[in-house]
């Protein structure tokens, strides 16, 4: 399977805990995006990487959120001290430079109790 | 700030009907527009991508059109089937980093 993969698919955590999600983009795609989707809403942009460089961050990405793409391949999104409002579907997408079309992974559904 | 609107939020039609889903956006300076399908609790499946220089794209029973000057796109579904039941999301590519701005989606139910 050469599509975008995300792990885990589901995560249940207690308020105040830290969680980390992983995204593996399509190989050779150097652009990687994170989005967040809450119930009944469309996905909202969180952050964007070109290779290993994080080039844009949304105001939605508070200080408790951090994203990395250390070798320009997979990416991780960490949420520290989770809050109930962090409950959402976290989606990852990738695209190639010069190609606009983004391909999405299956998402990680986070539930904060 | 780009805003994408999809109205109505939900639509229920009988099987076999041809239908049109609408999408509007506020800033016509877009690169491309993409339609997605999302099944409950799942990720996004790309349906059609329309480049800014194109007027429409077709794939099977789906046809999407783009009118940049008026800030509108439509997704036409021919001969709808119960398997078409899902949420349909419209998104536009804007800015140097080509991030997507999404509408809230239209939840379609096709009744057998």
């Amino acid at each position: 399977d050469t599509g975008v993969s995300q792990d885990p698919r589901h995560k249940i955590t207690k308020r105040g805990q830290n969680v980390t999600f992983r995204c593996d983009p399509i190989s050779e795609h150097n652009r990687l995006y994170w989005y967040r989707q809450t119930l009944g809403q469309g996905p909202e942009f969180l952050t964007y990487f070109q290779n290993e460089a994080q080039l844009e961050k949304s105001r939605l990405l508070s200080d408790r959120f951090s994203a990395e793409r250390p070798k320009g391949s997979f990416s991780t999104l960490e949420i520290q001290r989770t809050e109930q409002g962090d409950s959402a579907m976290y989606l990852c997408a990738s695209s190639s430079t010069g190609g606009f079309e983004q391909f999405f992974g299956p998402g990680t559904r986070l539930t904060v109790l | 700030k780009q805003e994408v609107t999809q109205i109505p939020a939900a639509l229920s039609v009988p099987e076999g009907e041809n239908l049109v889903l609408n999408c509007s956006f506020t800033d016509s300076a877009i690169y491309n527009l993409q339609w997605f399908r999302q099944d409950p609790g799942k990720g996004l499946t790309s349906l059609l991508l329309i480049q800014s220089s194109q007027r429409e794209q077709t794939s099977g029973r789906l046809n999407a059109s783009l009118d940049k000057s008026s800030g509108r796109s439509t997704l036409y579904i021919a001969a709808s089937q119960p398997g078409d039941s899902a949420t349909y999301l419209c998104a536009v590519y804007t800015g140097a980093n080509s991030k997507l701005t999404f509408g809230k989606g239209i939840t379609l139910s096709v009744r057998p």
Side-chain angles (χ1 to χ4, degrees):
Chain A
D1 186 4
T2 57
V4 179
S5 62
Q6 293 186 245
D7 184 71
R9 298 289 302 277
H10 303 274
K11 179 69 176 179
I12 300 174
T13 191
K14 294 183 179 179
R15 189 175 54 185
Q17 298 295 305
N18 299 343
V19 294
T20 300
F21 310 140
R22 176 177 170 130
C23 170
D24 286 88
I26 294 172
S27 60
E28 299 178 359
H29 275 189
N30 47 17
R31 294 185 172 190
L32 188 146
Y33 302 80
W34 284 98
Y35 294 85
R36 181 173 70 184
Q37 185 180 26
T38 54
L39 198 62
Q41 303 295 314
E44 295 177 289
F45 170 78
L46 291 179
T47 190
Y48 157 69
F49 289 86
Q50 171 91 18
N51 298 312
E52 67 276 9
Q54 188 174 20
L55 298 184
E56 187 172 353
K57 292 169 58 174
S58 163
R59 290 173 300 168
L60 295 174
L61 219 61
S62 75
D63 292 344
R64 296 184 298 105
F65 288 70
S66 63
E68 295 182 342
R69 195 181 182 197
K71 298 183 179 179
S73 57
F74 72 92
S75 175
T76 58
L77 178 67
E78 180 183 16
I79 308 175
Q80 295 182 329
R81 304 181 303 282
T82 53
E83 302 173 355
Q84 287 185 327
D86 296 332
S87 295
M89 174 79 87
Y90 291 83
L91 295 161
C92 175
S94 70
S95 71
S96 59
T97 301
F100 283 102
E101 187 171 8
Q102 292 180 26
F103 297 86
F104 280 78
T108 294
R109 177 163 295 284
L110 173 66
T111 301
V112 181
L113 303 176
Chain B
K1 177 187 173 185
Q2 178 73 268
E3 293 184 359
V4 179
T5 302
Q6 294 184 256
I7 296 173
L11 187 62
S12 179
V13 300
E15 181 177 3
E17 189 162 303
N18 300 326
L19 55 103
V20 173
L21 306 182
N22 293 307
C23 170
S24 62
F25 46 94
T26 54
D27 185 351
S28 62
I30 66 170
Y31 291 106
N32 304 304
L33 183 143
Q34 194 164 358
W35 282 92
F36 294 89
R37 168 183 173 142
Q38 186 173 35
D39 293 292
K42 305 295 184 182
L44 305 179
T45 300
S46 177
L47 296 175
L48 290 165
L49 171 73
I50 309 177
Q51 296 181 14
S52 60
S53 58
Q54 297 175 319
R55 296 286 298 210
E56 64 179 86
Q57 278 284 357
T58 298
S59 176
R61 295 183 294 108
L62 306 179
N63 175 277
S65 66
L66 172 63
D67 185 342
K68 281 184 59 177
S69 60
S70 67
R72 295 179 185 275
S73 176
T74 60
L75 178 66
Y76 175 82
I77 303 177
S80 58
Q81 304 170 357
D84 295 330
S85 298
T87 296
Y88 291 81
L89 293 150
C90 167
V92 297
Y93 288 81
T94 55
N97 294 329
S98 301
K99 63 186 178 186
L100 282 166
T101 302
F102 284 84
K104 292 183 178 182
I106 298 173
T107 299
L108 173 65
S109 174
V110 181
R111 307 186 301 272

